[in-house]
Amino acid sequence: MPKNRTKIGEIAQRHWVAAGEQVVWLANPQGHVGSTVAATRTAPHRTTSPLLATPAPDWPLPTAAVSQSRFHHDEWAHDPAVWGWAHAQRPDQLAVRFADLFTAGRDECWLLITNRRVALIVEGEVATPEEPASGGLLGRVRSLGQSRDAPPLVTWWEGPVATVRAFVPVPLGRHVTPEWFLRLEFGDGSAFDLRDDQAEQTVRTVHANL
């Protein structure tokens, strides 16, 4: 189900940012994440992080060529089932952490960029496990009417905006018309690409507000 980007941004601006901090840009996965760690390519990325207890998005799986690593360079970008790709030399690098959390959070995990921080966040009502309902249908119905004491947003990861050494619009693929991605180049040498048809404008927006 498409997520309301404007709603998440408004919640973050009201309840998550600090005084003087401004939401600049945010996005959530619209497909699977793949990864290249050293010489190992995996699509979809596999994580040991626990998955959110929410219905899995109705995303098609990557094509056999991508899932079986039968490509040479960045041809994975032409697979519409792939939304993001992590590039790292070691599994402890930040791009792999992003791939882990985006995979665990499915379409509920948001990349949030402010003028001070970069973060991965989830709505509190999604991240907070529901209390078991009392037995029987009546108990289940009552539980639906009970509000849980959940914060508006839960932070899964955050760091200073300088953690991202560069925000770069990158044209990927081997077609005449490229697939555009926003690349986050981290200070540890890893990078994360996410699909963004307006990547050039996104980068201008980010730079204008930092």
Side-chain angles (χ1 to χ4, degrees):
M1 179 183 297
K3 303 299 174 183
N4 191 321
R5 182 174 178 174
T6 300
K7 171 192 169 188
I8 298 296
E10 290 174 349
I11 293 173
Q13 192 62 52
R14 288 199 307 267
H15 301 288
W16 190 84
V17 301
E21 189 174 14
Q22 182 69 39
V23 172
V24 173
W25 194 79
L26 69 163
N28 69 320
Q30 304 299 311
H32 297 282
V33 170
S35 61
T36 302
V37 183
T40 302
R41 297 189 293 204
T42 308
H45 177 76
R46 290 189 289 271
T47 180
T48 57
S49 299
L51 302 180
L52 275 182
T54 57
D58 188 20
W59 294 335
L61 290 172
T63 61
V66 173
S67 63
Q68 297 171 16
S69 194
R70 291 190 280 108
F71 57 93
H72 297 291
H73 299 290
D74 56 8
E75 293 91 343
W76 58 263
H78 296 300
D79 188 337
V82 177
W83 174 81
W85 202 276
H87 309 271
Q89 289 300 311
R90 305 183 314 275
D92 63 340
Q93 288 182 290
L94 191 49
V96 180
R97 182 64 173 154
F98 270 48
D100 284 341
L101 294 178
F102 277 130
T103 300
R106 301 181 170 122
D107 59 345
E108 301 286 356
C109 182
W110 289 82
L111 167 66
L112 175 62
I113 301 171
T114 76
N115 57 337
R116 297 179 184 175
R117 291 180 285 173
V118 177
L120 298 180
I121 60 171
V122 179
E123 284 188 88
E125 62 183 16
V126 173
T128 305
E130 293 188 12
E131 294 293 332
S134 57
L137 177 60
L138 180 58
R140 288 195 294 273
V141 171
R142 283 176 176 166
S143 72
L144 293 176
Q146 295 172 352
S147 61
R148 288 173 289 153
D149 187 17
L153 296 173
V154 173
T155 305
W156 277 7
W157 176 91
E158 71 170 279
V161 72
T163 304
V164 182
R165 184 177 60 192
F167 297 92
V168 185
V170 289
L172 300 179
R174 292 294 178 266
H175 294 174
V176 174
T177 301
E179 303 287 341
W180 282 94
F181 284 74
L182 172 65
R183 175 169 292 168
L184 280 63
E185 297 182 350
F186 300 113
D188 65 3
S190 65
F192 189 89
D193 297 338
L194 61 94
R195 192 178 294 276
D196 180 8
D197 292 340
Q198 304 298 319
E200 292 176 298
Q201 179 58 50
T202 297
V203 170
R204 286 193 289 267
T205 297
V206 171
H207 287 170
N209 288 278
L210 295 184

